[in-house]
Each structure stands twice: as C-alpha cells, then as structure tokens.
Amino acid sequence: MNALNKLSTAQVAEEAKYQLGEIGKAKRISRKLEAEFQPVLMALVKLQKFTT
C-alpha cells in the first residue's frame, strides 16, 4: 500500500490508459477468434445432437 501512495495521479492515469488499451486488444482478439471458430462450434453442436 505504501508504494501506491508514492505514485502520482499522472502515473496512475497513464497505467490505467495502458491497461485499458490492453483490454481493448484482448477484446478484438477474442471477437476474431469467436468469429473464426463459430462454424466449428456449430458443427460440434450438430454432431452432439446427432450422437445423443
């Protein structure tokens, strides 16, 4: 906790901005992977229905 007290508001803001950017990158990658694997997932669902 002591280390946090020594950070300036500008440093905290800069780190928050960086982390939000990383979250944005992760969201874009997640959406891209979801779109790519959607046909595979649908085929697996159909296969599961067929085999049960």
Side-chain angles (χ1 to χ4, degrees):
M1 187 68 182
N2 214 8
L4 290 177
N5 292 336
K6 294 181 182 180
L7 292 176
S8 71
T9 303
Q11 289 171 315
V12 172
E14 189 63 33
E15 180 62 22
K17 182 179 173 183
Y18 172 78
Q19 293 298 331
L20 287 172
E22 291 299 303
I23 290 168
K25 288 179 194 175
K27 282 183 178 179
R28 287 189 293 278
I29 292 168
S30 178
R31 277 190 240 116
K32 188 180 287 186
L33 287 172
E34 186 177 348
E36 285 185 30
F37 285 103
Q38 189 66 29
V40 174
L41 293 173
M42 294 306 293
L44 287 172
V45 168
K46 287 180 183 177
L47 181 62
Q48 184 181 19
K49 287 180 182 177
F50 179 73
T51 59
T52 56

